[in-house]
Amino acid sequence: MKILLANPNTSQSVTDRIAAVARGNASNGTEIIAVTAKVGVPYIATRADAAIGSRVTLELLADHHTGCNAAIVGAFGDPGLGGARELLSIPVVGLAEAAMLTACMLGRRFSIVTFSHSLGPWYRECVEYHGLTSRLASIRMLEGTFRDIGNVQEEKEALLVELCSRAVREDEADVIVLGGAPLAGLAEQVADRVPVPLVDGVAAAVRQAETLAALRPRKATAGTFRQPAAKQIIGVPASLAQLFGDGNA
Amino acid sequence: MKILLANPNTSQSVTDRIAAVARGNASNGTEIIAVTAKVGVPYIATRADAAIGSRVTLELLADHHTGCNAAIVGAFGDPGLGGARELLSIPVVGLAEAAMLTACMLGRRFSIVTFSHSLGPWYRECVEYHGLTSRLASIRMLEGTFRDIGNVQEEKEALLVELCSRAVREDEADVIVLGGAPLAGLAEQVADRVPVPLVDGVAAAVRQAETLAALRPRKATAGTFRQPAAKQIIGVPASLAQLFGDGNA
Amino acid sequence: MKILLANPNTSQSVTDRIAAVARGNASNGTEIIAVTAKVGVPYIATRADAAIGSRVTLELLADHHTGCNAAIVGAFGDPGLGGARELLSIPVVGLAEAAMLTACMLGRRFSIVTFSHSLGPWYRECVEYHGLTSRLASIRMLEGTFRDIGNVQEEKEALLVELCSRAVREDEADVIVLGGAPLAGLAEQVADRVPVPLVDGVAAAVRQAETLAALRPRKATAGTFRQPAAKQIIGVPASLAQLFGDGNA
Amino acid sequence: MKILLANPNTSQSVTDRIAAVARGNASNGTEIIAVTAKVGVPYIATRADAAIGSRVTLELLADHHTGCNAAIVGAFGDPGLGGARELLSIPVVGLAEAAMLTACMLGRRFSIVTFSHSLGPWYRECVEYHGLTSRLASIRMLEGTFRDIGNVQEEKEALLVELCSRAVREDEADVIVLGGAPLAGLAEQVADRVPVPLVDGVAAAVRQAETLAALRPRKATAGTFRQPAAKQIIGVPASLAQLFGDGNA
Amino acid sequence: MKILLANPNTSQSVTDRIAAVARGNASNGTEIIAVTAKVGVPYIATRADAAIGSRVTLELLADHHTGCNAAIVGAFGDPGLGGARELLSIPVVGLAEAAMLTACMLGRRFSIVTFSHSLGPWYRECVEYHGLTSRLASIRMLEGTFRDIGNVQEEKEALLVELCSRAVREDEADVIVLGGAPLAGLAEQVADRVPVPLVDGVAAAVRQAETLAALRPRKATAGTFRQPAAKQIIGVPASLAQLFGDGNA
Amino acid sequence: MKILLANPNTSQSVTDRIAAVARGNASNGTEIIAVTAKVGVPYIATRADAAIGSRVTLELLADHHTGCNAAIVGAFGDPGLGGARELLSIPVVGLAEAAMLTACMLGRRFSIVTFSHSLGPWYRECVEYHGLTSRLASIRMLEGTFRDIGNVQEEKEALLVELCSRAVREDEADVIVLGGAPLAGLAEQVADRVPVPLVDGVAAAVRQAETLAALRPRKATAGTFRQPAAKQIIGVPASLAQLFGDGNA
């Protein structure tokens, strides 16, 4: 099985990290195709970043989905997920979606713990979008700045563990989702220092992508995720125009 | 990996069916341990049945979980799921829970289609319990009676397909969950006759159980799914009393 | 009028206490038939306990409802309430349900105050089940252990009063529900030390059971609380099997 | 026990009817003091009518509450209920509130059936105000006009029964609330023609008022139903000004 | 364009203040007709006050709406708004409604900051009535008393600014609504001391009233804001009786 | 006052239409700067289209906002609105947002009526995003195809009027929002054929943009719409990169 892991951020170091975690958590025989955005920002943190990132996701999927059995939107917050699910015939899952739904099977209420205060608003809108507000205990974010997005988890490890513990103690979380692709792999490192299950978004996403691929769901020909009618589109790469069904592209 | 599939109904024919579907959808190397209730009703259809079934689930898990990596509550509606998640150290997932959360990754709104009108109220309470009402398009149930719970899916196949199509057309469902253990395997049979993805509860549950086991979440020592304090319990089988910690109390 | 007060816990001391409070709050001419579980745990505190308790409730009602005008599920959290309402022709009400609905007529938002931290998750699910989350100010629970379930209210009286006051001051509660059968009677003792109305679950339940009996509602023959179709049931006491219609099946 | 039944409508015929039903459903020893508005409309049907009626309720209570143990706002929709609960030291309950909360103990979802299409919007806002939307199956209203508010239930009996049955069949109601004071007493007349329990607002309210009075809740001195600070008020009857504390201000 | 600004409070000083703010924020050519209640309380703070004020609003509109293009209910909390919208053919908007909807265009979540603790419960019910609870960050109220409703904003300015800042910092508000007619004009004074946009209820209302008037919406002849059928009404001023369509008044 | 009307669709005919309606509804002295997307699709109808359109919106605003007092996202569904509100210092409003919030002041529940079935899912997500689901009566969409997006309102006028009437009659809408920029101006044409107020998205948006500009809200320096920290961005036009603060990063 081949799974496309599309990082809509421009940080190669983050792609490397999430690819490694994806490979470490994939089943035998699953191949991870990891690609990095050539357009956009180093990491998506705001609504404005996500507005850019949602198109980036579609471009990456257009370029690389052929031959894959499923695809992952490799940014927590899932930019472009709904559109990707319309355009592609293979299953697509987002990091946040996969992590939150997996968390729902491990506890009643989950908290999202992340490394930057700027991520909160976008994450909150993501939880609301997925209709999971009643399952959310809290979103906990570190204050202050960090040195390097590629190593933020090592730099902030102790603070993040403390934040997880506070979410359990003060917000009554049964399970913690470590939010943000740059935190991929951290769950495994610190599992024994937090008293509830931790969910790694990348690990959850790769397993959920495998699950969806294994179930071989048909592409909808009705409902809101049927392939949209072909339409003309201007100013986007040819591969993406083709996904939109543009024959003039 | 060993997964316990506990059918809290007394119908061996249903156990045989769900075990076959579970094995057909499991990864290589996964062993399915299927067990049938010795106490209770042929199939759980009402709140009263579920009140009986929730204890049956705990008894089956108490007797058979040792050596397993994860467990499945093998009745759509998930009787006893919350309690099982407290008592056991391995992950536990319910058919309805697994099916609905999987459906959330395949569409915006799902309908549940099932074979008996009597199942509706219990299923609705199950959707509410999981906090997924905003993702539910409808619950569609066949009217009338059926001959044999072990073969209801063959007897009613055409009517069930029609009900799926109506859920898509009239209720705006993006994806259909076929509800009820006796419908296990039907999704595969009729996938090309329904215009949206179908989710089979058993197939989804076995994959989700594998996913949870693969992620190796720690047993909570805090939060609402920590192991409850040991307590005395009277009038239940010794294996279940042991799960409650009786004897250590 | 005869009202069955079924305690699904095995603590006779708790039954004695709630029976006394029920008799003290009943109208002239109301007889309270109080019965204690022979199966289960000393007090129901977790989802696992409730899974056992829900069947216990049905067994107690099966054995004792004949000749009664209404029945009370005598544990806060209402294990087995929905099933009991399906199976019986007389009205059935739960301690938590009665207390919360009564509280709604005394204020806009209520807090539940109880004696053990372990009760919180189950109570929260109970509030959600009854659809009353928007009326809930908070659930406040004592930390720490207690000596004897039969006397926990005397042991913890001062701490419980303080917890009530904090719920008013910090959580903006208009009214306090004292949760848990072991706290029956406490409301009357401490009413003048808490600045808002207190609701005693047992007192509320006995009055609500009288109200329902007085209104003489018909047993539903349609809707989701109609008597379920008779079905075979294995491994339960004969009186309960009869309620399920076994023998006629 | 004395219960004040305050009809904020000007129809004496409706007062006579609800007083008779109240007396027929009250416990032995309960005295019903029924009073009729001297200001306002024959029956409250719209938001504008309710804006008038809410002050009428306060005036009636100001004039007649002395010596009573509890009071009932005798119009379905409960105009002025919140204000009355602030100003008075005795419990106050509304017809709609009492009927809906009682219905919640008889089924999962209730429908409100009433005699005039104009009542729907106000009733819907009333359900929302009480936070019970998740328990509402539907509001069903007769189309067309009627001859006399004092006899509308006799004139429309067959149509109302049919509407109840449709609410059960099409809207999945478990229980029916007959809405509107002019329908008081109808539930008893037609109970055997509707397949689920019927709730009479007046019968429910008189029993709930008795329940609240029997529980002897203290007047809040904190929370949002404490007695408001005394204030000057102009242009209202002296008895009402006194309730506002004018003169002491 | 003429806009009626109806203050349902009896404080002329407040009317003067809100009239000045309305004029300062109105478009060129808009005339503000400001009127003060002759009946009621100096400022509406509780549910009981609002029950009086809702009729006062209707009386003021009945007396003064002729020739106006739109009307404003000049008390935060919007007493009588729904009824006014039924009875009048011109648009009517409330201070709270206008402020909150305007705030929704300036941020994701708003806090309401006001000068008296007694206002909280009524404001909360107002937010719920408008269906905007999911957009509310918090309601923040000053503790303690004030000297003069006409100058409370000057007296409490520093404390109110601090409260705004806390709402941003602790409650994650994106925008602040200054609640209560007596705070009209404060937003402009303190805008540079609060780090998010401030919404002045009167300024928002006058602009929204202009907007509604400019859009020239037709009076509904269907739906729940159609003109109610004419009905007899007793004991209200002739102008109000006429609005109710009473020809006998 | 200058208002930027940014059409994130590539149809010049639609821009011409909405510009004309905007000018017809603007106050004296307001200048409308209307611009059309050079990238993207003829009209945004799906989640995938919106993922493209959200970046297009940001590009148009980056190119044209200088010197404007407010901006309008000129597509119903508001692609890119949240990001725009972060990046710009002037107020930004969306067509759907403005129309829905305006509708809330004209009735309790609104329906959205539009010309193409494909628009429904995106519009529903837009309503949910703005937290207005409880105010939504229905979304009604024409079936079938149309000839020319520039003239769809003339082609389908009679059918759209019929759909509006059905929304009032069957869905209990108090007010109708005509959804989709191509329907701009239709409300005025057909107002006398629909029995409730109609809201034109463009007319509402231009008035709301004027309102926001007139209120002169400060740019947030805290909360979730503060200017994001400057960051590097690759592969976007220089004007947009500048908005992201690139160059200063």
Side-chain angles (χ1 to χ4, degrees):
Chain A
M1 184 184 296
K2 279 190 186 175
I3 293 177
L4 175 60
L5 175 59
N7 180 9
N9 299 289
T10 57
S11 303
Q12 184 62 42
S13 62
V14 173
T15 307
D16 293 345
R17 187 180 284 273
I18 64 177
V21 173
R23 286 177 189 125
N25 282 278
S27 299
N28 286 337
T30 294
E31 184 184 351
I32 303 295
I33 317 293
V35 296
T36 305
K38 294 199 172 52
V39 167
V41 297
Y43 75 99
I44 298 174
T46 66
R47 300 171 185 96
D49 297 346
I52 303 300
S54 61
R55 172 170 153 181
V56 171
T57 293
L58 298 187
E59 290 184 8
L60 287 172
L61 297 183
D63 281 346
H64 300 286
H65 78 284
T66 307
C68 291
N69 301 90
I72 297 171
V73 179
F76 202 91
D78 308 344
L81 175 63
R85 204 165 268 160
E86 289 173 347
L87 294 177
L88 295 197
S89 295
I90 56 172
V92 189
V93 71
L95 284 201
E97 178 187 55
M100 293 191 293
L101 296 175
T102 301
C104 286
M105 292 181 278
L106 293 169
R108 188 85 184 139
R109 305 205 312 158
F110 61 85
S111 286
I112 300 173
V113 169
T114 191
F115 60 95
S116 167
H117 199 268
S118 62
L119 293 155
W122 181 42
Y123 283 5
R124 186 172 302 278
E125 293 189 5
C126 179
V127 178
E128 292 170 358
Y129 177 78
H130 288 293
L132 294 172
T133 304
S134 71
R135 302 294 292 266
L136 181 72
S138 63
I139 299 176
R140 287 269 184 178
M141 302 158 281
L142 285 189
E143 298 295 333
T145 59
F146 55 89
R147 283 190 297 269
D148 174 6
I149 189 70
N151 291 94
V152 64
Q153 69 173 257
E154 285 80 4
E155 180 188 348
K156 303 286 190 180
E157 187 179 294
L159 290 171
L160 287 163
V161 167
E162 170 55 21
L163 215 51
C164 292
S165 296
R166 290 186 58 192
V168 174
R169 214 165 47 232
E170 298 175 17
D171 310 331
E172 303 186 57
D174 292 322
V175 51
I176 304 284
V177 171
L178 288 169
L183 298 190
L186 179 63
E188 195 169 355
Q189 296 302 318
V190 302
D192 57 356
R193 279 177 275 163
V194 178
V196 299
L198 295 173
V199 176
D200 184 300
V202 173
V206 74
R207 282 282 166 177
Q208 294 296 355
E210 287 182 349
T211 288
L212 295 178
L215 296 174
R216 295 185 307 281
R218 63 164 301 165
K219 173 64 183 178
T221 59
T224 79
F225 289 98
R226 68 188 180 283
Q227 175 73 38
K231 67 171 54 172
Q232 195 187 34
I233 184 166
I234 297 173
V236 301
S239 58
L240 183 54
Q242 199 172 3
L243 265 195
F244 276 84
D246 194 357
N248 310 322
Chain B
M1 186 184 295
K2 281 190 186 176
I3 294 178
L4 175 60
L5 175 59
N7 180 10
N9 299 288
T10 58
S11 303
Q12 183 61 43
S13 62
V14 173
T15 307
D16 294 344
R17 187 179 284 274
I18 63 177
V21 173
R23 287 176 189 126
N25 281 278
S27 299
N28 285 337
T30 295
E31 183 184 353
I32 304 295
I33 317 293
V35 295
T36 305
K38 291 198 174 55
V39 166
V41 297
Y43 76 99
I44 297 174
T46 66
R47 300 173 185 94
D49 297 347
I52 303 300
S54 61
R55 171 170 152 181
V56 172
T57 292
L58 297 188
E59 290 184 9
L60 288 172
L61 296 183
D63 280 345
H64 301 285
H65 78 282
T66 306
C68 290
N69 301 89
I72 297 171
V73 179
F76 201 92
D78 308 344
L81 176 63
R85 204 164 270 160
E86 290 173 346
L87 294 178
L88 296 195
S89 295
I90 57 172
V92 189
V93 72
L95 285 201
E97 178 187 56
M100 293 191 294
L101 295 176
T102 302
C104 286
M105 291 181 279
L106 293 168
R108 188 88 182 135
R109 305 204 314 157
F110 62 84
S111 285
I112 299 173
V113 169
T114 191
F115 60 96
S116 167
H117 198 270
S118 61
L119 293 156
W122 181 41
Y123 284 6
R124 186 173 301 277
E125 292 188 6
C126 178
V127 178
E128 292 169 359
Y129 178 77
H130 288 293
L132 295 172
T133 303
S134 71
R135 303 293 292 267
L136 180 72
S138 63
I139 299 176
R140 287 270 184 176
M141 301 158 281
L142 285 189
E143 298 294 332
T145 58
F146 55 90
R147 281 191 298 269
D148 174 5
I149 189 68
N151 291 95
V152 63
Q153 70 173 256
E154 285 80 6
E155 181 188 347
K156 302 287 190 182
E157 186 179 293
L159 290 170
L160 287 162
V161 168
E162 171 55 22
L163 214 52
C164 291
S165 296
R166 289 186 57 191
V168 174
R169 215 165 47 232
E170 298 174 19
D171 309 331
E172 303 186 59
D174 291 323
V175 52
I176 304 285
V177 171
L178 288 168
L183 299 190
L186 179 63
E188 194 169 356
Q189 296 300 317
V190 302
D192 57 356
R193 279 177 275 163
V194 178
V196 299
L198 295 173
V199 175
D200 185 300
V202 173
V206 74
R207 282 282 167 177
Q208 294 295 356
E210 288 181 348
T211 288
L212 296 178
L215 296 173
R216 293 185 308 282
R218 63 165 299 164
K219 173 65 183 177
T221 59
T224 81
F225 288 99
R226 68 189 180 282
Q227 175 74 37
K231 69 171 54 172
Q232 192 187 35
I233 184 165
I234 298 173
V236 301
S239 58
L240 183 54
Q242 200 172 2
L243 266 194
F244 277 84
D246 197 11
N248 312 323
Chain C
M1 184 184 295
K2 280 190 187 176
I3 294 178
L4 175 61
L5 175 59
N7 180 9
N9 299 289
T10 57
S11 303
Q12 183 62 40
S13 62
V14 173
T15 308
D16 293 345
R17 187 180 285 273
I18 63 177
V21 174
R23 287 176 189 124
N25 282 278
S27 298
N28 286 337
T30 294
E31 183 184 352
I32 303 296
I33 317 292
V35 295
T36 305
K38 292 197 174 54
V39 167
V41 297
Y43 76 99
I44 297 174
T46 66
R47 301 171 184 97
D49 296 348
I52 302 299
S54 62
R55 172 170 152 180
V56 171
T57 293
L58 298 188
E59 289 184 10
L60 287 172
L61 297 183
D63 281 345
H64 301 286
H65 78 283
T66 308
C68 291
N69 301 90
I72 297 170
V73 179
F76 202 91
D78 308 344
L81 175 63
R85 204 166 268 160
E86 289 173 348
L87 294 177
L88 296 195
S89 294
I90 57 172
V92 189
V93 72
L95 285 202
E97 177 187 56
M100 294 191 293
L101 296 175
T102 302
C104 285
M105 293 181 279
L106 293 168
R108 188 85 184 140
R109 306 204 314 158
F110 61 85
S111 286
I112 300 174
V113 169
T114 190
F115 60 95
S116 168
H117 199 268
S118 62
L119 293 155
W122 181 41
Y123 284 6
R124 186 172 300 277
E125 293 189 6
C126 179
V127 177
E128 292 170 359
Y129 177 78
H130 288 293
L132 294 172
T133 303
S134 71
R135 302 294 291 267
L136 181 72
S138 63
I139 300 177
R140 288 270 185 177
M141 302 158 280
L142 286 189
E143 298 295 332
T145 58
F146 55 89
R147 282 190 298 269
D148 173 6
I149 189 69
N151 291 94
V152 64
Q153 70 173 257
E154 285 81 3
E155 181 188 348
K156 303 285 189 181
E157 187 179 293
L159 291 171
L160 288 163
V161 167
E162 171 54 21
L163 214 51
C164 292
S165 296
R166 290 186 57 193
V168 173
R169 214 166 47 232
E170 298 174 18
D171 309 331
E172 303 186 61
D174 292 322
V175 51
I176 305 284
V177 170
L178 288 167
L183 299 190
L186 179 63
E188 195 169 355
Q189 296 302 317
V190 302
D192 56 356
R193 279 178 275 164
V194 178
V196 299
L198 295 174
V199 176
D200 184 300
V202 173
V206 73
R207 282 282 167 177
Q208 293 297 355
E210 288 181 349
T211 288
L212 295 178
L215 295 174
R216 294 184 308 282
R218 63 163 302 163
K219 173 64 184 177
T221 59
T224 80
F225 287 99
R226 68 187 181 283
Q227 175 74 36
K231 70 171 53 172
Q232 195 187 32
I233 184 165
I234 297 173
V236 300
S239 58
L240 182 55
Q242 200 172 2
L243 264 195
F244 276 85
D246 196 12
N248 312 321
Chain D
M1 185 184 294
K2 280 190 185 174
I3 294 177
L4 175 60
L5 175 59
N7 179 11
N9 299 288
T10 58
S11 302
Q12 184 62 41
S13 62
V14 172
T15 308
D16 293 345
R17 186 180 285 272
I18 63 178
V21 172
R23 287 175 189 126
N25 281 278
S27 298
N28 286 337
T30 294
E31 182 184 354
I32 303 296
I33 317 293
V35 295
T36 305
K38 292 197 173 55
V39 167
V41 297
Y43 76 99
I44 298 174
T46 66
R47 300 172 185 95
D49 297 348
I52 303 299
S54 60
R55 171 170 153 181
V56 171
T57 292
L58 298 188
E59 291 183 7
L60 288 172
L61 297 183
D63 281 345
H64 301 285
H65 78 283
T66 306
C68 290
N69 301 88
I72 297 171
V73 179
F76 201 92
D78 309 344
L81 176 63
R85 203 165 270 160
E86 290 173 347
L87 295 178
L88 296 196
S89 295
I90 56 172
V92 189
V93 71
L95 284 201
E97 177 187 56
M100 293 191 294
L101 295 175
T102 302
C104 286
M105 291 182 279
L106 293 168
R108 188 86 183 137
R109 306 205 312 157
F110 61 84
S111 285
I112 300 173
V113 169
T114 190
F115 60 95
S116 168
H117 198 269
S118 62
L119 293 155
W122 181 41
Y123 284 6
R124 185 172 302 277
E125 292 189 5
C126 178
V127 177
E128 292 169 358
Y129 178 77
H130 288 293
L132 294 172
T133 303
S134 71
R135 302 295 292 267
L136 181 72
S138 62
I139 299 175
R140 288 270 184 176
M141 302 158 280
L142 285 189
E143 298 294 332
T145 57
F146 56 88
R147 283 190 297 270
D148 173 6
I149 190 68
N151 290 93
V152 63
Q153 71 172 255
E154 284 82 4
E155 180 188 347
K156 301 287 191 182
E157 185 179 294
L159 290 170
L160 287 163
V161 167
E162 171 55 21
L163 214 51
C164 291
S165 296
R166 289 186 58 192
V168 174
R169 215 165 46 232
E170 298 174 18
D171 309 332
E172 303 186 58
D174 291 322
V175 52
I176 304 286
V177 170
L178 288 168
L183 299 190
L186 180 62
E188 194 169 357
Q189 296 300 318
V190 301
D192 57 356
R193 279 177 275 164
V194 178
V196 299
L198 295 173
V199 176
D200 185 299
V202 173
V206 73
R207 282 282 167 176
Q208 295 295 357
E210 287 181 349
T211 288
L212 296 179
L215 295 174
R216 293 184 309 279
R218 63 165 299 164
K219 173 65 184 178
T221 59
T224 79
F225 288 99
R226 68 188 181 282
Q227 175 74 36
K231 68 172 53 171
Q232 193 188 34
I233 184 165
I234 298 173
V236 302
S239 58
L240 183 54
Q242 199 172 3
L243 265 195
F244 276 84
D246 196 12
N248 312 322
Chain E
M1 185 184 296
K2 280 189 186 176
I3 294 177
L4 175 61
L5 175 59
N7 179 11
N9 299 290
T10 57
S11 303
Q12 183 63 41
S13 62
V14 174
T15 307
D16 293 345
R17 187 180 284 273
I18 63 177
V21 173
R23 286 176 189 124
N25 283 277
S27 299
N28 285 337
T30 294
E31 182 183 353
I32 303 296
I33 317 292
V35 295
T36 305
K38 292 196 173 55
V39 166
V41 297
Y43 77 99
I44 298 174
T46 66
R47 301 172 185 96
D49 296 348
I52 303 299
S54 61
R55 171 169 153 181
V56 171
T57 292
L58 298 188
E59 290 183 9
L60 287 172
L61 297 183
D63 281 345
H64 300 286
H65 79 282
T66 307
C68 291
N69 301 88
I72 297 170
V73 179
F76 201 91
D78 307 344
L81 175 63
R85 204 166 268 160
E86 290 173 347
L87 294 177
L88 295 196
S89 294
I90 57 171
V92 188
V93 72
L95 285 202
E97 177 187 56
M100 293 191 294
L101 296 175
T102 301
C104 286
M105 292 181 279
L106 293 168
R108 188 86 184 138
R109 306 205 313 157
F110 61 86
S111 285
I112 300 173
V113 169
T114 190
F115 60 94
S116 167
H117 199 269
S118 62
L119 293 155
W122 180 42
Y123 284 6
R124 186 172 300 278
E125 293 189 5
C126 178
V127 177
E128 292 170 358
Y129 178 78
H130 288 293
L132 294 172
T133 303
S134 71
R135 302 294 292 266
L136 180 72
S138 63
I139 300 176
R140 287 270 184 176
M141 301 157 282
L142 286 189
E143 298 294 331
T145 58
F146 55 89
R147 283 190 297 269
D148 173 6
I149 189 69
N151 290 94
V152 63
Q153 69 173 256
E154 285 80 4
E155 181 188 347
K156 303 286 190 180
E157 187 179 292
L159 291 170
L160 287 162
V161 168
E162 171 55 22
L163 215 51
C164 291
S165 296
R166 289 185 58 191
V168 174
R169 213 165 48 232
E170 298 174 18
D171 309 332
E172 304 185 58
D174 292 322
V175 51
I176 304 285
V177 171
L178 289 168
L183 299 190
L186 179 63
E188 195 168 355
Q189 297 302 316
V190 302
D192 57 356
R193 278 177 276 165
V194 178
V196 299
L198 295 173
V199 176
D200 184 300
V202 172
V206 74
R207 281 283 167 176
Q208 294 296 356
E210 287 181 349
T211 287
L212 295 178
L215 295 174
R216 294 184 309 282
R218 62 165 300 165
K219 173 65 182 176
T221 59
T224 79
F225 288 99
R226 68 189 180 283
Q227 174 74 36
K231 67 172 53 174
Q232 194 187 34
I233 184 166
I234 297 173
V236 301
S239 58
L240 182 55
Q242 199 171 3
L243 265 194
F244 275 84
D246 195 358
N248 310 322
Chain F
M1 185 184 295
K2 280 191 186 175
I3 294 176
L4 175 61
L5 175 59
N7 180 10
N9 299 289
T10 58
S11 302
Q12 183 62 42
S13 62
V14 172
T15 308
D16 294 345
R17 186 180 285 272
I18 63 178
V21 173
R23 286 176 189 125
N25 281 278
S27 299
N28 286 337
T30 294
E31 182 184 354
I32 304 295
I33 317 293
V35 296
T36 305
K38 293 199 173 54
V39 167
V41 297
Y43 76 100
I44 297 173
T46 66
R47 300 172 185 96
D49 297 348
I52 303 300
S54 61
R55 172 170 153 181
V56 171
T57 292
L58 298 187
E59 292 184 7
L60 288 172
L61 297 183
D63 281 345
H64 300 286
H65 78 282
T66 306
C68 291
N69 301 88
I72 297 171
V73 179
F76 201 92
D78 308 344
L81 175 63
R85 204 165 270 160
E86 289 173 348
L87 294 178
L88 295 196
S89 295
I90 57 172
V92 189
V93 72
L95 284 202
E97 177 188 55
M100 294 191 294
L101 295 175
T102 302
C104 286
M105 292 182 278
L106 293 168
R108 188 88 182 135
R109 304 205 313 157
F110 61 85
S111 286
I112 300 173
V113 169
T114 190
F115 60 95
S116 168
H117 198 269
S118 62
L119 293 156
W122 181 42
Y123 284 6
R124 185 172 302 277
E125 292 189 5
C126 179
V127 178
E128 292 169 359
Y129 178 77
H130 288 293
L132 295 172
T133 304
S134 71
R135 302 295 291 267
L136 181 72
S138 63
I139 299 176
R140 288 270 185 176
M141 302 157 280
L142 284 189
E143 298 293 333
T145 58
F146 55 89
R147 281 189 299 268
D148 174 5
I149 190 68
N151 291 95
V152 62
Q153 70 171 257
E154 285 82 3
E155 180 189 347
K156 302 286 190 181
E157 185 179 294
L159 290 169
L160 287 163
V161 167
E162 171 56 20
L163 214 53
C164 291
S165 296
R166 289 186 59 192
V168 174
R169 214 164 49 233
E170 299 174 17
D171 309 331
E172 303 186 57
D174 291 323
V175 51
I176 304 284
V177 171
L178 288 168
L183 299 190
L186 180 63
E188 194 169 356
Q189 296 301 317
V190 302
D192 58 356
R193 280 177 275 165
V194 178
V196 300
L198 295 173
V199 176
D200 185 299
V202 173
V206 74
R207 282 282 168 177
Q208 295 295 357
E210 287 181 347
T211 287
L212 296 178
L215 295 174
R216 294 185 307 282
R218 63 164 299 164
K219 173 64 182 178
T221 58
T224 80
F225 288 100
R226 67 190 181 281
Q227 175 74 37
K231 68 171 55 171
Q232 193 187 34
I233 184 165
I234 299 172
V236 302
S239 58
L240 183 54
Q242 199 172 4
L243 265 194
F244 276 85
D246 197 12
N248 312 323

